Amino acid sequence: CRQYTNRSCEECLKNVTCLWCASSGRCVEYPVRRVLPPADLCELRSARWGVCWVNFEALIIAMSVVGGTILIMLGVCCCCCCKKKSKKPDKDDERAAREREKRRVRQEERRAEMKSRHDEIRRKYGTV
């Protein structure tokens, strides 16, 4: 990487292990053990890696905005899904309760009908 010092950013960044420092015009080895280059090596606003038109500072801001937006969207989606799921069982419960009530009413009607038939039969044969 040092051989590209004082040349151009494009030449330096052809090698993916290199980092271009725009303020000093140096091409240095990217410190792979660290996520961000240390300030004594190159300031974030002057550091270029991968492409010459994006500095680390802008990259960090952009990734933070994109990441925050994704997290907010996931949160909204989770809230919407949870609300829909909690409403759906309520409707199902109401429907099931109505069905149970209908069955209970029909059963009561059948019981009353059977009781009247039995009473009729008892009167007919005089067992009442």
Side-chain angles (χ1 to χ4, degrees):
C1 290
R2 294 185 194 278
Q3 65 190 10
Y4 297 111
T5 297
N6 293 326
R7 290 192 184 177
S8 71
C9 176
E10 289 80 17
E11 286 182 41
C12 174
L13 296 183
K14 284 180 183 176
N15 187 347
V16 293
T17 61
C18 295
L19 172 77
W20 177 258
C21 188
S23 61
S24 65
R26 292 184 313 153
C27 187
V28 293
E29 193 84 20
Y30 185 84
V32 291
R33 296 192 191 279
R34 301 180 67 166
V35 177
L36 299 175
D40 61 335
L41 184 65
C42 190
E43 292 181 350
L44 288 179
R45 70 174 59 111
S46 298
R48 308 285 195 269
W49 180 71
V51 290
C52 292
W53 53 272
V54 178
N55 63 30
F56 267 92
E57 199 171 49
L59 185 66
I60 291 169
I61 292 170
M63 290 183 71
S64 299
V65 169
V66 169
T69 304
I70 290 171
L71 288 175
I72 289 171
M73 288 173 59
L74 285 173
V76 169
C77 287
C78 287
C79 288
C80 289
C81 290
C82 290
K83 282 185 178 181
K84 285 182 181 180
K85 286 183 179 180
S86 66
K87 286 182 181 180
K88 192 172 182 177
D90 290 341
K91 290 180 182 179
D92 290 341
D93 291 345
E94 288 176 15
R95 188 180 310 130
R98 277 187 260 130
E99 290 294 323
R100 279 194 302 270
E101 185 62 24
K102 285 180 184 177
R103 276 185 256 142
R104 189 187 63 75
V105 169
R106 276 188 262 140
Q107 190 177 12
E108 290 294 324
E109 289 172 356
R110 279 191 242 126
R111 277 191 189 138
E113 191 178 311
M114 289 297 281
K115 187 176 187 310
S116 68
R117 274 196 222 152
H118 288 160
D119 288 346
E120 222 176 279
I121 291 171
R122 286 187 188 111
R123 261 185 263 127
K124 182 178 177 180
Y125 293 106
T127 57
V128 181

